Amino acid sequence: MNSPLGAPSLRPDLERIASWIAPGSRVLDLGCGDGALLAYLRDYRQVRGAGVEISDAHVIACVQRGVEVIQQNLEDGLALFDDKQFDTVVLSQTLQSMHHTEHILREMARVARFGVVSFPNFGYWPHGWSILRGRMPVTGQMPYQWYNTPNIHLCTLRDFEDLARDVQVRILERATFNEAQEVKLFPSWRSTLALYRFEA
């Protein structure tokens, strides 16, 4: 998907997520960061959206963009939201830092018909090579040392697909990236980031 003429450029993964969201729909973005995706969806896809974010700086950035945001820890769940209150719920590059991974996926399936998640792919082949050398991997997608990483539940593509089946959501689409490039050949080994769109 290419951004509309004059639109601000999004990261390739956010651009793909935007392409999966129907114009005019209702979107909840969990861990919405500075609100860039929600602002883009509002301005170029006529989406009505809200974000959930814990960082003070990111909440301020959302407000400055005119994005509706609730400051809350996602670990507290999504009890604020009604069943099927949204059409799509997004969890971008946050799944791996959640303590209660199954619970957040079930809650996503409760509050929206469709969900989108993205996460670093721990199956990326240099990670295995790093472990064989006796070191935890440090890469562009996972730039932290073992002792200061926010990533507590790392997984591979197959791991996530098994979890999706266990929580009874149906995967509709998958996209994988290495930096800005989409990866289609051997994505389990060659991609650093995975995106999934699923249906509750």
Side-chain angles (χ1 to χ4, degrees):
M1 168 189 166
N2 293 320
S3 294
L5 195 62
S9 62
L10 290 174
R11 294 191 325 245
D13 57 307
L14 294 183
E15 205 167 272
R16 178 56 56 88
I17 290 170
S19 77
W20 285 345
I21 293 174
S25 59
R26 298 162 300 161
V27 172
L28 177 64
D29 188 357
L30 304 175
C32 64
D34 63 7
L37 175 63
L38 284 170
Y40 178 93
L41 291 170
R42 176 196 64 208
D43 295 344
Y44 297 98
R45 296 184 75 78
Q46 296 73 54
V47 160
R48 289 166 290 147
V52 177
E53 178 56 54
I54 194 167
S55 157
D56 290 342
H58 283 153
V59 168
I60 291 166
C62 287
V63 171
Q64 289 171 339
R65 291 180 190 270
V67 167
E68 184 180 330
V69 63
I70 298 164
Q71 188 166 26
Q72 182 184 335
N73 187 338
L74 291 177
E75 298 290 359
D76 296 335
L78 305 181
L80 287 173
F81 305 107
D82 295 331
D83 294 0
K84 299 298 180 277
Q85 185 173 341
F86 299 92
D87 299 301
T88 299
V89 59
V90 176
L91 185 69
S92 174
Q93 299 194 40
T94 305
L95 184 71
Q96 72 279 0
S97 63
M98 300 294 300
H99 284 88
H100 306 290
T101 310
E102 276 185 85
H103 179 67
I104 196 67
L105 281 178
R106 291 185 197 280
E107 282 288 270
M108 289 173 72
R110 180 183 66 78
V111 302
R113 180 180 173 195
F114 299 105
V116 176
V117 298
S118 66
F119 54 87
N121 173 27
F122 197 66
Y124 180 48
W125 73 266
H127 294 168
W129 179 242
S130 182
I131 290 168
L132 284 172
R133 289 173 25 239
R135 297 284 184 185
M136 282 296 288
V138 178
T139 62
Q141 200 68 53
M142 298 194 317
Y144 303 96
Q145 297 294 330
W146 67 269
Y147 53 84
N148 66 3
T149 181
N151 300 325
I152 57 173
H153 287 145
L154 297 167
C155 68
T156 66
L157 276 60
R158 184 174 293 178
D159 288 330
F160 178 78
E161 290 164 11
D162 288 346
L163 176 60
R165 185 180 61 248
D166 290 346
V167 300
Q168 299 181 328
V169 298
R170 185 167 66 95
I171 292 171
L172 302 174
E173 298 181 75
R174 180 181 79 185
T176 53
F177 291 86
N178 188 322
E179 304 301 332
Q181 300 299 313
E182 186 166 2
V183 174
K184 296 197 175 179
L185 185 66
F186 304 121
S188 294
W189 299 338
R190 296 180 58 238
S191 65
T192 59
L193 183 70
L195 286 70
Y196 285 87
R197 178 173 177 260
F198 62 82
E199 184 174 24

